[in-house]
Amino acid sequence: QVQLVESGGGLVQPGGSLRLSCAASGSIFSINAMGWYRQAPGKQRELVAAITSGGITNYADSVKGRFTISRDNAKNTVSLQMSSLKPEDTAVYYCNAEIDWADATAWGHDYYWGQGTPVTVSS
């Protein structure tokens, strides 16, 4: 069993900054890629940023230069530092992780999602 727990969402003014964090726990053997997605009201979920286990990153064009993704492999966490926030960044942000898991009776490879943390950018 693997769980992802997000934190850091909230209300921020345009131009402000916010840092999101996500921690993975459970029967983890290894974590491959981790990333952040977001879903605005009435829109599909979209990739915001992703990072491999080796630290290679990828960003959506809309956030490039403003957001920074990072991870701590020892702590099984991934963070998203968001700066110069715009109203169009308003969405529920979801953590995602590609994980090899194993417990006493079984093993597997799956993608996991957090429950989401809302970010509202408004004056």
Side-chain angles (χ1 to χ4, degrees), residues 95-111:
C95 178
N96 176 265
E98 180 185 7
I99 297 175
D100 293 329
W101 60 267
D103 59 25
T105 61
W107 60 270
H109 176 89
D110 288 297
Y111 290 85

Side-chain angles (χ1 to χ4, degrees), residues 64-97:
K64 196 170 298 181
R66 300 188 297 118
F67 291 9
T68 301
I69 189 170
S70 61
R71 65 188 287 170
D72 186 332
N73 293 331
K75 297 181 178 180
N76 292 334
T77 60
V78 62
S79 298
L80 184 69
Q81 179 64 50
M82 305 184 293
S83 300
S84 301
L85 283 162
K86 305 174 181 180
E88 50 262 45
D89 294 319
T90 296
V92 177
Y93 284 70
Y94 297 88
C95 178
N96 176 265

